[in-house]
Amino acid sequence: MSQPAQASVEQLDGPAAARAEEAFRLVYAEAFAEPPYNETETDVAATFRRFRSQTRKATFRGALATTSDGEPVGMAYGYPLSPQTGWWDQLTEPVSDDMRREDGRRTFGLMELAVRAPWRGQGIARRLHEALLDGTDAGRVLLNVHPDSKAAVAAYRSWGYRKIGEARPWEGADLHDVMLLDLR
């Protein structure tokens, strides 16, 4: 497989991301099979059951990086958190009511961001992140990252994220760092 110097990044709404599910899934399955995630096909299947539901949200945003011949190399997606979000309830230590207040626009939840191994270190993750947030009116971005994913943690810190706590994002999950990026 030849490694192109550049991949193009496209912003996608929910219906377009749903049509590109196979590309999102390929990137996700490959990237998250690696340590520290070690996700199985069962884990991937569960993620993409949620993905199908998430892409139906009117506020869903996705970004897909592909080579000139259409090979998927990276993806990101998320959406603004609703007032009823359970995200804040997963933290091991509570945060202030002001921090956890959501109105459907205040906080963009970055659900996933991944780049396949051969294309890492070329700025694709940053470009995906920028494309995903381009045009959003959210004042901040929230994400969970596995603390043993040193490259991901370093990238998020370099982009301005700060750790605000720890959470177990799902039952049986390892402890994840919860990071916040102020956009204003």
Side-chain angles (χ1 to χ4, degrees):
M1 158 172 57
S2 64
Q3 185 173 329
Q6 195 65 273
S8 64
V9 174
E10 179 182 13
Q11 189 182 75
L12 303 171
D13 63 9
R19 289 190 297 275
E21 178 180 334
E22 188 175 314
F24 279 83
R25 186 183 187 117
L26 183 148
V27 172
Y28 181 94
E30 189 173 304
F32 289 101
E34 299 171 6
Y37 305 101
N38 304 310
E39 290 206 8
T40 65
E41 184 51 45
T42 301
D43 299 322
V44 173
T47 295
F48 280 85
R49 279 192 299 277
R50 285 189 303 275
F51 178 82
R52 284 181 212 111
S53 168
Q54 292 165 336
T55 60
R56 290 193 291 272
K57 294 178 183 288
T59 55
F60 178 95
R61 300 168 76 102
L64 187 63
T66 55
T67 63
S68 58
D69 63 359
E71 182 179 358
V73 299
M75 63 86 192
Y77 63 89
Y79 47 85
L81 301 180
S82 76
Q84 297 79 31
T85 185
W87 200 314
W88 296 107
D89 300 329
Q90 299 166 346
L91 273 76
T92 57
E93 298 290 327
V95 294
S96 72
D97 287 346
D98 183 59
M99 171 73 81
R100 60 183 289 137
R101 180 183 49 79
E102 298 298 347
D103 61 10
R105 291 183 311 278
R106 182 182 189 198
T107 307
F108 186 86
L110 177 55
M111 301 303 157
E112 303 296 348
L113 188 149
V115 176
R116 294 170 64 200
W119 288 273
R120 293 182 191 149
Q122 300 179 33
I124 294 170
R126 177 184 281 280
R127 291 175 50 225
L128 285 162
H129 185 263
E130 289 170 355
L132 192 64
L133 298 178
D134 184 39
T136 184
D137 61 355
R140 60 191 190 171
V141 183
L142 189 65
L143 61 81
N144 293 328
V145 62
H146 196 296
D148 292 343
S149 183
K150 302 298 186 204
V153 171
Y156 293 134
R157 285 195 186 285
S158 76
W159 300 344
Y161 282 85
R162 62 187 167 90
K163 180 178 172 179
I164 59 165
E166 296 176 333
R168 291 192 192 281
W170 62 91
E171 191 174 327
D174 291 340
L175 208 55
H176 282 57
D177 289 347
V178 179
M179 299 184 83
L180 187 75
L181 173 66
D182 289 310
L183 295 175
R184 302 214 195 290

